Amino acid sequence: MENTLHIIGGGLAGSEAAFQAAEAGVQVILHEMRPKVETFAHQSGDFAEMVCSNSFRSDDSEQNAVGLLHWEMREANGLIMRMAGEHRLPAGGALAVDREAFARGVSEVIRNHPNITIEEGEITELPTDGNWIIATGPLTSGALGESIARETGAESLAFFDAIAPIVYFDSVNMDVAWMQSRYDKGATEEEQKAYLNCPMTKDQYEGFIDALLEADKAEFHEGETAKYFDGCLPIEVMAERGRETLRFGPMKPVGLTNEHDPENKAYAVVQLRRDNTLGTLYNIVGFQTKMKYGAQQDVFRMIPGLEDASFARLGGIHRNTFMNSPTLLDDQMRLKSRPNLRFAGQITGVEGYVESAAMGLLAGRLAAAEIQGKTLETPPLNSAMGALIHHITGGADAKTFQPMNVNFGLFQPVDGLKGGRRGRKDRYKAYTDRAKEAWSAWLNS
Ligand SMILES: Cc1cc2nc3c(=O)[nH]c(=O)nc-3n(C[C@H](O)[C@H](O)[C@H](O)COP(=O)(O)OP(=O)(O)OC[C@H]3O[C@@H](n4cnc5c(N)ncnc54)[C@H](O)[C@@H]3O)c2cc1C
C-alpha cells in the first residue's frame, strides 16, 4: 500500500490536502479523531470546521496578500475556496461564509470522493512507515503532540491564542447601532452595509478601557510562559499596551458615519460582523479576550447598542500547537529527520484558516507527486504560496519563529527594499501581477 497517502486531521489543511491528492489520482486515507475525540473548540464532526471567526479575510487579489492567496488556491482547484464561494455571506470586501453550511459542503465532497477513505479515531504516535501528512492543527491531541515533541526535540510546541464573542442580532439595540461597511466598501448595497457598528463618545471609551483593565481575567497554569501571537491579542492585553491602542486598532472610528447622528463623529466604534446566513449571529471583530465569562458580559454590555446583548458564545483562550519549521522541515514540507512525514496547516507555523488551507493544498500536491514518482518543485518565491512556504521552511529566523500570516513583507521587494518611487497601491498591484504570473507558470509546469 505504499501508493497510499495517509493524512492525520480533517481540518482546513487536511481536507484540502486530501482533496488535492485524491484529485491527482492518489488513494488517500484521512484519519480524523472527531467526533470520537473532541477538541474544546470544534462543535461538530464535520471536516474543515471554522472554530472562531467565519471570515477568510480580504478577497482582494490585487491589493491584499491574503486575497492573492485566495486567487492562487482557486486557480489550483482548491476545495476550501470553492466551498467558501458557494457559502459566501455579505461582508464588504471580505470573504465570509456561513460556517456550518461551508463545513457540511466540504465534508460532503470529501466523504463522497472515490479516492478518499475516512478512518475515524485519534492517532497517538508519529507513524513509522508509509507516506503521511500531519495536519492536526493548533489543537493537536496531547498524545500526538508529545510524540512530535519527542521526535523534534522541542521542549514545547504550544503558545496561546484568544477567540472573540458572538452576539445574537435580535439583542442589539438598532436605535443606537447601524449597518455600514467601513468606507462603504462592497459592490452591492448589502455588502456596503455588512457590518453592525456601535459608536462610543470619549467618556464612554475611557470608561470602557477602565473596565477592561480592571476586569477579572482567566488564569492559566501555563500562564507564566504564555505567549500571544500579535495578530490575535486579547483586547485587554491591547488596552494594557496603551489607552489609545484599541482606538487605533479594532475600535478605530474611520470610514464610518453614524446614521442616527451623522453630524457627530464617534470617538471609537465597535464593529460586529455577520456570522451566519440567517444574519442572526454577529461576532465582535477583534474582541478576542481572556476575561472571565461574568466579566465579559458586564464589560461588553457597556458598549452602546449592546446594553442588553445576549451572547451565543463568549470569548476564550486556547492552546496553539506549532513547530519550529525553519529548523525541522525541508522546502517540500517533509520532516528532515523522517522524510516520509510531511506537515501541513497551522502546526507548521502559518497562522489562519487561509494560510493553513493553502499549506494543505501544497502538501497534498507535493505528496501526490512524490508518490507518483514525479518531480514537483517548490512554488516560486514570487507567488504568495511560495513566499509563505519559503518563510516557514527557512526564510524566518528560527530563534524567534512565531506563527505568520501571509503578507507582502514575505515577498521579494518589487522596487528594492525602500519601495522605490511607486505609491503603495501600484506596488501591491506589481506584487500581485508578478505573483499571478509565477503561480500560473508553476501550475502549468
Ligand atoms: C479557538 C481557536 C480560534 C481560532 N480563531 C481563528 C480565526 O478567527 N481565524 C483564523 O483564520 N484562524 C483561527 N484559528 C486558527 C485556526 O484553527 C486555523 O487557522 C485553522 O483551523 C487551522 O487549520 P488546520 O487544518 O491546521 O487545523 P484544524 O482546522 O484545527 O484541523 C485539525 C484537525 O485535526 C484533528 N486532530 C487533532 N489531533 C488529532 C489526532 N491526534 N488524530 C486525529 N485527528 C486529530 C482535529 O480534530 C481537527 O479536525 C483559531 C484556532 C483556535 C484553536
Side-chain angles (χ1 to χ4, degrees), residues 8-14 31-34 39-42 49 51-53 57 121-123 135-141 144 163 318 345-346 352-353 356:
I8 317 179
L12 275 298
H31 304 261
E32 170 54 57
M33 66 179 188
R34 290 177 296 117
T39 78
F40 91 93
H42 293 86
E49 185 179 325
V51 289
C52 179
S53 146
R57 316 200 314 271
E122 179 188 357
I123 303 281
T136 43
L139 302 175
T140 294
S141 72
L144 184 63
I163 59 175
H318 68 88
Q346 185 126 338
Y353 303 136
S356 298

Side-chain angles (χ1 to χ4, degrees), residues 7-16 30-35 37-42 44-57 99 119-125 134-145 148 161-164 232 273 283 288 313 316-321 344-348 350-357 359-360 405:
I7 298 177
I8 317 179
L12 275 298
S15 302
E16 185 67 67
L30 180 57
H31 304 261
E32 170 54 57
M33 66 179 188
R34 290 177 296 117
V37 180
E38 303 283 349
T39 78
F40 91 93
H42 293 86
S44 73
D46 286 334
F47 297 123
E49 185 179 325
M50 299 165 88
V51 289
C52 179
S53 146
N54 63 330
S55 171
F56 288 108
R57 316 200 314 271
R99 73 178 74 223
E119 279 198 8
E120 278 185 9
E122 179 188 357
I123 303 281
T124 53
E125 283 279 338
I134 294 128
T136 43
L139 302 175
T140 294
S141 72
L144 184 63
I148 297 170
D161 256 349
I163 59 175
C232 197
R273 184 177 50 230
N283 62 63
Q288 330 49 271
R313 183 191 70 202
I317 188 147
H318 68 88
R319 180 165 53 85
N320 187 2
T321 302
Q346 185 126 338
I347 197 168
T348 63
V350 294
E351 170 68 31
Y353 303 136
V354 182
E355 289 83 344
S356 298
M359 292 300 100
N405 284 129

Side-chain angles (χ1 to χ4, degrees), residues 383-406:
S383 62
M385 202 76 82
L388 202 51
I389 188 69
H390 174 75
H391 178 77
I392 62 166
T393 60
D397 182 350
K399 286 195 215 75
T400 55
F401 185 61
Q402 285 290 309
M404 184 53 102
N405 284 129
V406 68

Side-chain angles (χ1 to χ4, degrees), residues 105-139:
V106 173
S107 304
E108 213 177 290
V109 174
I110 295 288
R111 289 186 190 284
N112 292 328
H113 201 293
N115 292 347
I116 302 178
T117 308
I118 314 294
E119 279 198 8
E120 278 185 9
E122 179 188 357
I123 303 281
T124 53
E125 283 279 338
L126 272 182
T128 43
D129 304 316
N131 306 298
W132 292 78
I133 295 177
I134 294 128
T136 43
L139 302 175

